[in-house]
Amino acid sequence: MSSFKPLVFSGVQPTGNLHLGNYLGAIRRFVQLQDSHDCIYCVVDLHAITVWQDPAELLRATREVTAAFLAAGIDARKNIVFNQSRVVQHAELAWIFNCVARMGWLSRMTQFKEKAGKDRENASVGLFAYPNLMAADILVYRATHVPVGDDQKQHLELARDIAQKFNNDYSERIAELGAGVEMMVGEERVNGFFPLTEPLIEGPAPRVMSLRDGSKKMSKSDASDLSRINLTDDAETISRKIRKAKTDPEGLPSEAEGLKGRPEAENLVVLYAALAETSKESVLDEFGGRQFSEFKPALADLAVEKLAPVAGEMRRISADQAYVDSVLRDGGERAGVRAESTMKVVREIVGLLGG
Ligand code: TYM
């Protein structure tokens, strides 16, 4: 049985500041996966403009996210690093997926509901169709694995639904052209053109929470800068934010069980464990019974120790704009070749003249 070649794809939006959630939930995983997989990492500028972006700021942020990828340790020669808008096939496939996905599916997306808020009439059409573009990002390479944080889970389920509907709708044509690949869907063996991508939502911190409110995720768009640790924060700022992080009056428990119902305490323990690359249990073995007044400085020291080298590298790489641009250009060329080879077949499957 031939099956899809394993390929990792993921993307990060160039909006606002990258934070510890992006780093621990996604970027650090990207770095780990490059040892075992062929990987494509994308700065998704077309996604960013689904809400208003100042053009100069968008350019700056696109380069900054690229610098963060490289500073974190992604090897742009072994893998592909590029910005989305360069490879026009993403937008082309997204249009086809606009015609595959159903309004009802997209209406259920919680991220759209959150981002559009009460004034839905005034949200861009792009914001609504966002998940179709995301499915196109992945499937234009027929990628099989997508490392993301927990907040992207619903979008990845939609990408599977789109792949499945496309495979079904065009099954005869796919067979006629011999373009399908055999795969298992549950117990069933089916032949399809697009893989049903596996989300990789794993690692110690798939959902890093706000430092000000343990019920909200750490986010670029939170109005309070104290809610997040940015990758570019200096040591003093990191320590201050951790000192001010919300906690409860109790000390740390000795068992993970004791963190139940204490989201802020749990988040700080998760952060420590993720940064130290250990488990919550072993953090609690060390700090159980101690007060936050002792734990917070230890966490701040650890965060500074782990993040300062990344921030330093980011500054160094960002200073060489010509280099960053050359990485994106080269990555875009290589990604474009792969994307076009998929689209040639997609056009034939759908019946679009022009090849
Ligand atoms: P974006 O730019 O919001 O976030 C980039 C990555 O960071 C993860 N993340 C988090 N992980 C843990 N805790 C948090 N608090 C946290 N906040 C963010 C996100 O899950 C993501 O992995 N739609 C995507 C970008 C995208 C994409 C794709 C991803 C576009 N096309 C194709 C994968 C495949 C987004 O807005 O991520």
Side-chain angles (χ1 to χ4, degrees):
M1 181 171 108
S2 70
S3 58
F4 290 96
K5 214 171 129 250
L7 174 67
V8 169
F9 180 94
S10 199
V12 174
Q13 291 198 62
T15 48
N17 288 320
L18 286 175
H19 54 69
L20 198 51
N22 299 130
Y23 182 65
L24 295 175
I27 299 173
R28 203 175 63 174
R29 294 282 302 136
F30 299 176
V31 180
Q32 292 161 350
L33 283 162
Q34 65 181 352
D35 291 334
S36 50
H37 288 77
D38 186 13
C39 303
I40 303 182
Y41 295 127
C42 185
V43 186
V44 291
D45 46 8
L46 294 176
H47 275 99
I49 60 169
T50 55
V51 296
W52 169 251
Q53 302 296 326
D54 173 74
E57 172 54 23
L58 180 60
L59 289 167
R60 189 201 64 77
T62 299
R63 292 180 173 122
E64 185 175 85
V65 173
T66 311
F69 282 178
L70 302 174
I74 291 171
D75 179 344
R77 268 194 293 256
K78 181 170 174 287
N79 306 287
I80 292 182
V81 172
F82 74 109
N83 60 305
Q84 182 186 30
S85 59
R86 270 208 146 83
V87 178
V88 295
Q89 288 83 353
H90 289 237
E92 184 185 359
L93 186 58
W95 180 261
I96 293 174
F97 288 169
N98 284 344
C99 305
V100 173
R102 305 289 96 183
M103 292 287 287
W105 300 358
L106 291 162
S107 306
R108 284 192 283 277
M109 294 293 114
T110 50
Q111 191 159 306
F112 173 73
K113 292 186 205 166
E114 275 166 27
K115 285 202 176 169
K118 289 207 173 63
D119 193 8
R120 253 188 234 184
E121 292 288 306
N122 203 27
S124 74
V125 176
L127 190 65
F128 185 70
Y130 180 113
N132 295 345
L133 177 59
M134 188 163 154
D137 297 338
I138 299 163
L139 295 174
V140 83
Y141 304 102
R142 304 213 274 174
T144 55
H145 295 86
V146 181
V148 281
D150 181 69
D151 60 332
Q152 296 300 316
K153 190 169 170 199
Q154 198 187 26
H155 287 160
L156 292 184
E157 281 162 10
L158 189 92
R160 289 169 67 96
D161 291 342
I162 291 177
Q164 198 156 11
K165 184 162 174 7
F166 183 96
N167 289 342
N168 274 332
D169 290 353
Y170 292 103
S171 59
E172 280 178 24
R173 186 85 174 140
I174 293 168
E176 219 174 276
L177 293 167
V181 171
E182 278 203 358
M183 62 182 138
M184 297 303 289
V185 177
E187 304 283 275
E188 223 186 317
R189 177 172 294 200
V190 298
N191 198 281
F193 182 71
F194 287 122
L196 304 189
T197 302
E198 290 289 333
L200 300 176
I201 302 175
E202 49 194 24
R207 191 170 179 83
V208 173
M209 307 312 280
S210 155
L211 297 179
R212 305 299 299 165
D213 177 351
S215 68
K216 289 203 306 205
K217 68 171 185 184
M218 186 177 283
S219 150
K220 295 171 190 166
S221 53
D222 196 311
S224 164
D225 197 52
L226 281 177
S227 70
R228 64 184 158 258
I229 292 174
N230 302 310
L231 286 191
T232 48
D233 283 345
D234 59 22
E236 160 63 32
T237 311
I238 293 176
S239 300
R240 183 166 48 85
K241 287 178 174 175
I242 291 178
R243 215 166 44 237
K244 295 204 163 173
K246 188 174 163 201
T247 44
D248 53 41
E250 283 167 60
L252 283 165
S254 318
E255 313 278 332
E257 196 55 23
L259 292 170
K260 284 233 169 83
R262 300 176 64 191
E264 284 87 10
E266 166 139 38
N267 191 38
L268 295 185
V269 172
V270 165
L271 284 181
Y272 194 101
L275 287 164
E277 296 181 62
T278 175
S279 64
K280 278 195 283 191
E281 286 72 19
S282 82
V283 177
L284 293 178
D285 276 348
E286 190 181 344
F287 289 97
R290 308 244 214 122
Q291 297 301 313
F292 281 103
S293 53
E294 281 177 79
F295 181 62
K296 281 178 164 180
L299 175 59
D301 285 348
L302 179 64
V304 169
E305 178 195 323
K306 298 288 177 177
L307 297 180
V310 180
E313 265 302 275
M314 257 173 92
R315 269 193 302 277
R316 191 184 67 77
I317 294 169
S318 292
D320 191 350
Q321 190 176 307
Y323 168 67
V324 173
D325 287 0
S326 74
V327 166
L328 294 174
R329 198 176 323 114
D330 167 66
E333 274 166 25
R334 288 187 287 137
V337 172
R338 294 200 193 191
E340 180 54 21
S341 82
T342 305
M343 285 313 295
K344 270 204 165 67
V345 186
V346 170
R347 290 181 209 116
E348 263 191 278
I349 291 173
V350 176
L352 303 171
L353 213 56

